[in-house]
Amino acid sequence: MQHPARYTITAALPYTNGPIHIGHLAGVYVPADIYARFLRLQNKDVVYICGSDEHGVAISMKARKEGTTPQQVIDKYHHIIKKSFEDFGISFDHYSRTSANIHHQTASDFFKKLYEAGKFEEETTEQLFDPEANQFLADRFVIGTCPKCGNEEAYGDQCEKCGSTLSPTDLINPKSTISGATPVLKQTKHWFLPLNEYSDFLKEWILKGHAKDWKTNVLGQVKSWIDDGLKPRAVTRDLDWGIDVPVEGATGKKLYVWFDAPIGYISATKEWAQLNGKNWEPYWKDQDTKLVHFIGKDNIVFHCVIFPAMLKAEGSYILPDNVPANEFLNLEGQKLSTSKNWAVWLHEYLEDFQGKQDSLRYALTAAAPETKDNDFTWKDFQARNNNELAAIFGNFINRVVVLTHKYYNGLVPTPNAFTTEDLAVLQELKAYPDVIASTIERYRFREASQEMMNVARLGNKYLADQEPWKVIKTDPERVKTQLFVALQVASALAVLAEPFLPHAAQKLNDMLQLGQKDWNFLKSEVMLEPGHQINAATILFEQIDDAQIEKQMEKLAASKVSDAAAAEVAELKPETTFEKFSEMDLRVGTILAAEKMPKAKKLLVLQVDTGLDVRTIVSGIAEHFEPETIVGKQVMVLANLAPRAIRGVESQGMLLLTSDTEGKLHFMVPENAVPNGSTIS
């Protein structure tokens, strides 16, 4: 869409079970904010929407863990998250929350319209039920052994060790995390959205219609889901926290959080419209509106498959023009982890780096994971701040403003004849707005930030080459032209930097006394007229010293030590009985052969002599051991585990392993060689 009448920009709703960190900022909120600020500078009709995602089982789990209520959890983190966004200049037009009445009503109405139009399938299925707690168990309230890698602490929806997507009934020896009881299967009724009916629509709309303008990582993930075969997906759950399912016979059931959360974009827009005396519908229902979702790659399926299917089923809403999803940001070479405190939390960053919001915004944009996972390091952050923001951008502005005050009492001088060098700088300056605009419009924010910095480089180099502090002694009239040219570059930066460095841009605007300027200002033949009064210089970017960086590295080192200590002493599992333990047939065996399973980087196919027989065991240890190094090794085997097909190979047992503080696996082996088949008791 080249010339839309308006823009609706959404940023993924952050989940209110904890504060937000730099990965969230880099992946979603800074790119979306750059885009929204840029469009406003072009005087576009923009609404930039977000809000707290406050329903679902993770909130209930957090409340149980903290000994509080779900409402107290969401209130606490909603305010922490909202303040972090405000502090970092994330310029939402409205930040709402899914616990708001307007959202409950909007989500209920959306469900009812689809329900009454027959868009759902009603199905009675068997789900795990905790007989002691007397409740159905959401996926995350079930823990057990992963059938694919043997991890004994896999959740009912995913194994965090091997990354496999699971169902609670896939788990071996499942347990309720609420009571520790063994769950039973019990019938329950739910409503499903038949995603399979929207496959052709999604193929045509995304894979064909957006093949040239959407990111390849987005297209690839959508294609993978469609090729695997879309299946009906439940839109309701048996939960005690969330939005009531608004139909008869649904007592105790809530809307599944993945269904109600994206509707939060719509309800937040409604709330914004009410507060501002506007009509919300054109922003969601007018074909001349450009809808753009900013998300991380873990949300691609929800925004490019499920939510569009919901909108298509409802029938009156527009579809997104683009979903420029980013990949993940790592921290110092490791995956960000909230549970391991391997993160940089925004509210903590501001305690250590007061007034340096733009430094982090810039460093994250420069290292944005736009096409692949990327890494944030504190040394790179320091270098970006010191060598680029301070030494180039800040140095240039400080020089030109200080010299203008020193020589002309802060008045823009009247230029004399322009030299070839002067004209070349002014000509190059005029080209940058279109270059930066083009890259932003293509969602290439990393490149756009560097083009903006190139404008600062242009001005800094011009002053360094011209050396007005020397020329003033021999040709003061020439200096008038030099500073006039430099001030034109500075005034352009006040506008060009605003999407990327909003706090610094405002300081620069105040220094130059520009007033409210938009992108059209950059087309002016002269941006700062001779005789215009500017204010005194203020420091835009301070240097960050090594001691500040060392402090951050020490924090991370402490997190690693703390996590290692926690890993050394795992939490005690629910009490069991001798009889239950005796049911497990544990024996010593020897690995006779081992080979990698084709197209599965984590799995090895083993032939193990158990003393009773030679059997096949599939084990998720391929990333820890080369096949040839474990042949002949004695191992401990759970021999009476029910056989299970894994990628078409029947696995007839499980090996016993443990992991060290670095996460490396080790076999449990007898101290001395014993006959195969020896029992372990």
Side-chain angles (χ1 to χ4, degrees), residues 359-500:
S359 298
L360 186 59
R361 282 180 64 121
Y362 179 73
L364 292 176
T365 304
E370 292 179 345
T371 56
K372 63 179 181 180
D373 290 358
N374 214 346
D375 198 33
F376 174 89
T377 70
W378 280 112
K379 283 296 184 184
D380 180 66
F381 163 78
Q382 182 186 28
R384 294 283 185 187
N385 180 84
N386 293 356
N387 302 339
E388 296 177 30
L389 293 177
I392 298 172
F393 195 124
N395 181 60
F396 165 63
I397 296 300
N398 188 66
R399 275 178 166 179
V400 70
V401 173
V402 167
L403 291 176
T404 301
H405 274 273
K406 183 176 181 180
Y407 302 149
Y408 312 114
N409 296 317
L411 293 174
V412 177
T414 300
N416 294 298
F418 293 109
T419 64
T420 303
E421 291 84 356
D422 301 333
L423 293 172
V425 168
L426 293 172
Q427 183 72 21
E428 187 175 347
L429 179 62
K430 290 300 179 187
Y432 274 107
D434 286 344
V435 171
I436 294 170
S438 175
T439 52
I440 290 177
E441 286 164 353
R442 287 177 289 149
Y443 312 105
R444 293 162 67 165
F445 305 107
R446 186 167 60 190
E447 180 182 338
S449 72
Q450 294 313 295
E451 293 293 354
M452 179 275 296
M453 186 55 67
N454 283 339
V455 178
R457 289 187 175 97
L458 175 70
N460 202 47
K461 185 177 185 303
Y462 175 75
L463 276 188
D465 291 345
Q466 296 297 312
E467 297 183 312
W469 48 88
K470 291 183 179 179
V471 177
I472 193 72
K473 299 173 184 177
T474 59
D475 190 357
E477 288 301 309
R478 171 65 187 144
V479 174
K480 292 179 181 178
T481 307
Q482 292 171 336
L483 288 183
F484 175 84
V485 171
L487 284 163
Q488 303 310 304
V489 179
S491 57
L493 275 172
V495 177
L496 294 172
E498 200 273 344
F500 311 95

Side-chain angles (χ1 to χ4, degrees), residues 206-207 214-224 295 300 304 322-327:
I206 297 180
L207 300 184
W214 282 27
K215 286 186 174 183
T216 55
N217 63 322
V218 177
L219 294 169
Q221 196 172 131
V222 171
K223 185 178 186 300
S224 177
I295 59 169
I300 289 174
C304 300
N322 212 314
V323 185
N326 275 346
E327 299 293 292

Side-chain angles (χ1 to χ4, degrees), residues 5-11 32 35-37 39-40 44-50 91-95 265-266 268-273 276 278-284 289-294 318:
R6 67 195 65 78
Y7 292 79
T8 300
I9 302 169
T10 73
Y35 189 62
R37 286 177 177 274
L39 292 174
R40 293 192 196 106
K44 304 295 186 182
D45 183 354
V46 176
V47 60
Y48 177 22
I49 291 296
C50 193
S91 59
F92 298 125
D93 289 294
H94 189 61
Y95 188 80
Y265 299 138
I266 301 169
T269 309
K270 285 185 177 181
E271 195 170 46
W272 163 80
N276 291 276
K278 292 180 176 286
N279 179 8
W280 71 272
E281 290 201 356
Y283 294 89
W284 280 95
T289 297
K290 184 171 184 174
L291 172 62
V292 183
H293 295 310
F294 283 87
I318 58 173

